[in-house]
Amino acid sequence: MLVETCIRDPSLIDPLNKIGYTKFIVEFDPVIEKVEVRLRRRLTFRGSLESKRLLQRDDVINFLKPLERAQLIKALNDKKVHGISIDKNNFHLLKKNLLNLVNIKEKYIEINLNNSTSQVIRRAIEWGHKGTKIVFSSCASKISEIWPPLSLFNYLVLHGASIPDIITWINTYPLELFEIVSDYS
């Protein structure tokens, strides 16, 4: 059972289903009614947690893409934030002491595959070896941005990840993240 942890366009669910994904976390859209058991909604804050009222929803998985260290620290200490979104623009914010806080607070680190470099992927693999809950997301808004599971698996192997770790990062942790919120909104 594979989970795609970030898609921006719900019309991509059918092609994702055909390549092996069975559950999906779709970027929040108030129009989408969560009627399917295989669908969850997420909200990605960029920079700060300015819309605190949106954080009060129990049916949405919350991520923050921090732009500065203070925002990252605030998000790590906020119980309503489930994970931190990392890419080539902000991976430098996650230093050793903050990585320890990520692990203590049991937050997920999401790597946006379509906006990352090999340096980010290698760093994520290092973090994963230290016990950090890593998930890799396509954050696709069009079909060409989708990462098939086998391609992701091979990409991580090429960057030096071990097979047991890869299975955890593309199977176990995304499923855990999917199950954070209930089926009923």
Side-chain angles (χ1 to χ4, degrees):
M1 194 171 330
L2 293 175
V3 179
E4 172 52 64
T5 55
C6 179
I7 56 173
R8 293 195 169 106
D9 183 357
S11 69
L12 296 175
I13 289 174
D14 189 45
L16 283 163
N17 218 2
K18 289 177 182 174
I19 61 171
Y21 290 101
T22 56
K23 297 184 182 230
F24 313 95
I25 303 176
V26 180
E27 190 65 34
F28 184 81
D29 181 349
V31 175
I32 298 173
E33 289 297 324
K34 192 171 53 159
V35 294
E36 295 185 59
V37 171
R38 64 189 190 128
L39 179 66
R40 298 286 190 274
R41 293 183 289 188
R42 64 176 273 156
L43 183 59
T44 305
F45 295 89
R46 285 169 177 73
S48 66
L49 302 171
E50 67 282 339
S51 301
K52 280 295 229 184
R53 67 176 183 77
L54 290 173
L55 280 173
Q56 303 309 315
R57 296 183 62 117
D58 290 330
D59 63 332
V60 177
I61 300 167
N62 296 303
F63 276 85
L64 175 77
K65 181 180 178 185
L67 303 176
E68 57 188 44
R69 181 177 155 79
Q71 296 166 346
L72 176 58
I73 293 169
K74 186 174 182 179
L76 291 175
N77 288 306
D78 191 326
K79 292 179 182 177
K80 290 287 188 175
V81 175
H82 302 106
I84 306 299
S85 187
I86 299 291
D87 62 19
K88 67 183 178 187
N89 300 315
N90 66 351
F91 80 101
H92 64 279
L93 296 174
L94 203 51
K95 303 291 184 197
K96 184 179 179 179
N97 60 341
L98 291 179
L99 188 61
N100 290 335
L101 187 58
V102 167
N103 294 339
I104 289 168
K105 300 290 186 172
E106 297 183 347
K107 302 288 184 180
Y108 292 86
I109 297 296
E110 172 191 53
I111 306 301
N112 181 336
L113 290 164
N114 289 317
N115 197 23
S116 291
T117 62
S118 287
Q119 183 181 14
V120 175
I121 300 303
R122 283 192 303 273
R123 186 72 54 89
I125 290 169
E126 290 172 16
W127 296 334
H129 288 308
K130 295 177 183 176
T132 304
K133 292 183 173 185
I134 303 290
V135 295
F136 293 91
S137 300
S138 68
C139 293
S141 55
K142 53 189 176 184
I143 199 160
S144 62
E145 296 174 337
I146 293 173
W147 277 74
L150 188 55
S151 295
L152 175 56
F153 186 92
N154 289 333
Y155 188 63
L156 295 174
V157 166
L158 288 172
H159 281 84
S162 68
I163 291 174
D165 284 341
I166 294 171
I167 291 169
T168 300
W169 300 332
I170 66 175
N171 187 19
T172 307
Y173 291 153
L175 189 56
E176 282 179 13
L177 183 62
F178 182 86
E179 293 174 348
I180 284 178
V181 297
S182 71
D183 290 333
Y184 308 101
S185 39

